[in-house]
Amino acid sequence: QNEAWQQAVDGNWLPPDQQRVWMVVNDQFLRDEHRAMAGQVRGLKEKFVMPGGARINPGEQPNCRCSAALAYSSDADKYKRKVKLDFPDNPELSA
């Protein structure tokens, strides 16, 4: 998926500043730290930030079923509001 998005940027089908959003499967197997990342928005080449500060991409951890989707500006706004409410003491999550 990441390669396809990069090819789309290279072909001028996506803007170079296109962002993506962390998506979860919201069931009993979802890890708390991945739930906290739901809706997080990052650039195409940026890793997502876990609550402890580690940086990962979806699927990098064993049995992770999370994914990323192309984000719109409204996704970034929603996530910023969520972080302010849920993680006011963790500026790393809103970076």
Side-chain angles (χ1 to χ4, degrees):
Q1 184 62 64
N2 292 333
E3 179 62 30
W5 288 335
Q6 187 55 54
Q7 288 179 15
V9 169
D10 294 344
N12 295 319
W13 299 324
L14 284 176
D17 61 348
Q18 176 66 53
Q19 294 186 310
R20 56 196 180 122
V21 59
W22 184 277
M23 307 290 290
V24 299
V25 176
N26 195 10
D27 62 15
Q28 71 272 21
F29 302 110
L30 179 60
R31 296 177 180 127
D32 289 339
E33 61 270 15
H34 290 202
R35 179 178 285 111
M37 296 166 63
Q40 188 176 139
V41 177
R42 296 285 181 229
L44 288 178
K45 294 186 178 182
E46 276 184 282
K47 290 198 173 203
F48 293 88
V49 181
M50 294 180 66
R55 295 176 183 273
I56 65 169
N57 278 314
E60 286 185 353
Q61 294 185 325
N63 300 318
C64 176
R65 298 170 297 137
C66 299
S67 62
L70 294 178
Y72 297 95
S73 59
S74 62
D75 292 320
D77 293 339
K78 285 181 205 171
Y79 186 70
K80 286 177 188 172
R81 286 192 301 272
K82 174 185 173 185
V83 167
K84 285 179 183 178
L85 290 173
D86 295 346
F87 306 101
D89 297 330
N90 193 339
E92 185 63 32
L93 283 178
S94 60

